Amino acid sequence: MEIDLPDVLAEVSAQFARYEAALVSNDVAVLDELFRKDPRTLRYGIGENLYGHDAITAFRAARSPIGLMRKTDKTAITTYGRDAAVASTLFYRDAWGGNRVGRQMQTWVRFAEGWRIVAAHVSIIDEPGSSKEPGSSKVLGQKP
């Protein structure tokens, strides 16, 4: 299996960028399109477990469009062959005050209709190294 074929990587990267733009602008139509229309598609969110495209679209329709802006970091996209990929990114929202980090992973598969997300996971944790991290003895602003 060939990993990270340049043309496939470019295709998935473009779809990931399209997803990100739709997410922060609350373009629900594009978000709904990019998730595979299938009852086996799933999305584990910050506070919800969504099974099937219908549950995912219902969640998007009901979600508030306020506060969706975010900054991403350490985005990693890896393709496997010509028809599968995993996209991962960290994300930050100003409202979190700098001590929280979001994590997002998506499994993308190429179908006849194009690249679609078949599984996604979103979570938020304390920023590693922050004073809230379990077991951390680091105090913010204090030199080691």
Side-chain angles (χ1 to χ4, degrees), residues 65-113:
I66 298 170
L68 298 177
M69 290 305 299
R70 66 189 198 168
K71 298 173 198 147
T72 59
D73 189 30
K74 297 185 180 176
T75 300
I77 299 173
T78 305
T79 64
Y80 301 91
R82 303 201 71 77
D83 300 316
V86 175
S88 307
T89 197
L90 300 178
F91 64 92
Y92 300 87
R93 290 204 160 107
D94 289 341
W96 295 345
N99 61 354
R100 306 281 281 162
V101 59
R103 303 174 301 175
Q104 173 183 297
M105 293 190 76
Q106 301 167 330
T107 302
W108 291 79
V109 177
R110 183 200 309 264
F111 293 94
E113 65 271 22

Side-chain angles (χ1 to χ4, degrees), residues 2-131:
E2 294 182 87
I3 296 175
D4 288 342
L5 292 164
D7 61 322
V8 179
L9 188 57
E11 290 173 13
V12 177
S13 296
Q15 290 305 311
F16 181 84
R18 188 171 172 234
Y19 174 89
E20 186 65 25
L23 182 69
V24 298
S25 67
N26 201 39
D27 188 338
V28 175
V30 170
L31 294 170
D32 291 349
E33 171 196 331
L34 292 176
F35 276 85
R36 171 94 168 143
K37 289 181 175 75
D38 190 290
R40 295 166 291 196
T41 299
L42 63 92
R43 179 186 178 276
Y44 292 152
I46 294 167
E48 65 285 334
N49 297 322
L50 305 172
Y51 295 90
H53 190 266
D54 290 347
I56 296 167
T57 59
F59 167 79
R60 293 274 185 223
R63 185 180 66 165
S64 171
I66 298 170
L68 298 177
M69 290 305 299
R70 66 189 198 168
K71 298 173 198 147
T72 59
D73 189 30
K74 297 185 180 176
T75 300
I77 299 173
T78 305
T79 64
Y80 301 91
R82 303 201 71 77
D83 300 316
V86 175
S88 307
T89 197
L90 300 178
F91 64 92
Y92 300 87
R93 290 204 160 107
D94 289 341
W96 295 345
N99 61 354
R100 306 281 281 162
V101 59
R103 303 174 301 175
Q104 173 183 297
M105 293 190 76
Q106 301 167 330
T107 302
W108 291 79
V109 177
R110 183 200 309 264
F111 293 94
E113 65 271 22
W115 286 98
R116 297 295 184 264
I117 300 164
V118 297
H121 186 121
V122 181
S123 61
I124 301 172
I125 62 170
D126 289 331
E127 180 75 70
S130 75
S131 61

